[in-house]
């Protein structure tokens, strides 16, 4: 409609700012004696030797790498295979809808499953990525975009839930940001590598093959780490300050 993109961002910023302020108005500190007992956060030197933690980092990187590469190049991918401009642009919105739906659905799943959902989630993301390489019609392309977004949304609920279950709820603020760094790295590498591969080959197929390979590494690597690690599921990790076996 001819609206400058920076104007759109200004509107989004105002809406987000208002939503944050309104939400903050209902926050209250708990009354004395009602605060939960805090668990001791595991020290960094133990975390980097904990194979469960490494499986979360690997899964987060591989899943978000694939999702960010696709979302960063989704419309040009569609245009490159002859899909008209309107459905090519709509695929991005459909991806976002799938992302939102995935966060809700995978959150429900995460509450009822174990750490083995990490490779399962990656497999659910990898399957539509494989299909993306062979899609050249608008309707199936949009459907695959939704499925990829749905799998991508799992990255932002499964890992936080696993951190809380493994290290204690009060340790989430100390541990989860370290895992989220993998998302930052994927956000830098994924879209830029996808665009670079297209520049070199004039095709998005190599980029799609790359995402499938990265997700495959995540599936195999996370299974190996989970099997090798000792998945000690305890409510509190206050014992991190003492000697604890880490395999």
């Amino acid at each position: 409609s001819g609206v400058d993109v920076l104007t759109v961002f200004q509107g989004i910023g105002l809406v987000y700012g208002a939503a944050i302020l309104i939400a903050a108005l209902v926050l209250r500190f708990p009354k004395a004696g009602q605060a939960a007992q805090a668990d001791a956060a595991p020290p960094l030197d133990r975390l980097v030797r904990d194979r469960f933690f490494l499986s979360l980092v690997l899964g987060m990187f591989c899943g978000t790498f694939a999702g960010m590469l696709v979302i960063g190049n989704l419309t040009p991918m569609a245009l490159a295979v002859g899909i008209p401009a309107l459905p090519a642009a709509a695929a991005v919105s459909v991806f976002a809808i799938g992302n939102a739906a995935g966060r809700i659905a995978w959150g429900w799943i995460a509450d009822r499953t174990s750490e083995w959902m990490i490779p399962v989630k990656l497999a659910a993301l990898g399957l539509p990525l494989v299909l993306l390489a062979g899609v050249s019609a608008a309707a199936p392309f949009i459907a695959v975009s939704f499925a990829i977004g749905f799998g991508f949304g799992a990255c932002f609920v499964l890992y936080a839930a696993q951190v809380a279950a493994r290290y204690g709820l009060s340790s989430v603020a100390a541990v989860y940001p370290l895992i989220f760094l993998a998302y930052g790295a994927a956000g830098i590498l994924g879209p830029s590598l996808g665009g670079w591969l297209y520049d070199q080959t004039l095709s998005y197929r190599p980029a799609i093959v790359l995402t499938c390979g990265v997700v495959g590494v995540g599936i195999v690597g996370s299974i190996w780490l989970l099997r090798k690690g000792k998945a000690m599921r305890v409510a509190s990790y206050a014992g991190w300050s003492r000697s604890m076996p880490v395999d």
Side-chain angles (χ1 to χ4, degrees):
S1 301
V3 180
D4 185 77
V5 66
L6 295 180
T7 302
V8 175
F9 282 138
Q10 287 173 355
I12 293 173
L14 290 172
V15 172
Y16 279 11
I20 292 169
L21 290 174
I22 292 171
L25 292 176
V26 301
L27 293 176
R28 296 289 185 272
F29 285 105
K31 295 179 180 180
Q34 291 184 343
Q37 180 66 36
D39 298 317
L44 182 59
D45 63 327
R46 294 296 185 105
L47 276 177
V48 297
R49 291 185 288 129
D50 182 1
R51 288 195 172 100
F52 181 81
F53 173 79
L54 295 178
S55 72
L56 296 178
V57 173
L58 178 65
M60 173 67 86
F61 176 82
C62 294
T64 54
F65 178 94
M68 295 300 291
L69 187 152
V70 170
I71 191 63
N73 299 279
L74 191 55
T75 295
M77 281 182 182
L79 295 174
V81 295
I83 294 174
L86 184 58
V92 177
S93 297
V94 172
F95 180 101
I97 294 170
N99 181 14
R103 295 184 188 220
I104 298 170
W106 285 103
W108 183 89
I109 294 170
D111 290 339
R112 294 160 174 82
T113 53
S114 68
E115 65 273 3
W116 291 101
M117 284 306 297
I118 297 171
V120 171
K121 182 273 298 183
L122 288 172
L125 177 60
L127 178 59
L129 285 170
V130 172
L131 297 176
L132 183 64
V135 172
S136 59
F141 188 91
I142 289 176
V144 169
S145 299
F146 177 88
I148 296 173
F150 188 86
F152 179 61
C155 297
F156 306 102
V157 289
L158 283 182
Y159 299 108
Q162 290 299 322
V163 168
R166 169 91 171 171
Y167 304 109
L169 187 60
S170 60
S171 294
V172 172
V175 178
Y176 187 60
L178 300 175
I179 297 169
F180 211 68
L181 286 173
Y183 173 40
I188 294 171
L189 293 174
S192 57
L193 272 177
W196 180 81
L197 284 171
Y198 178 80
D199 291 341
Q200 301 303 310
T201 65
L202 299 181
S203 171
Y204 280 106
R205 187 175 294 272
I208 296 171
V209 171
L210 174 64
T211 63
C212 295
V214 169
V215 170
V217 169
I219 294 171
V220 175
S222 62
I223 291 174
W224 182 82
L225 287 167
L226 290 170
R227 283 183 173 176
K228 294 291 289 185
K230 294 180 179 178
M232 295 176 297
R233 306 187 62 81
V234 296
S236 172
Y237 268 64
W240 279 103
S241 59
R242 302 187 297 273
S243 176
M244 174 173 284
V246 178
D247 186 3

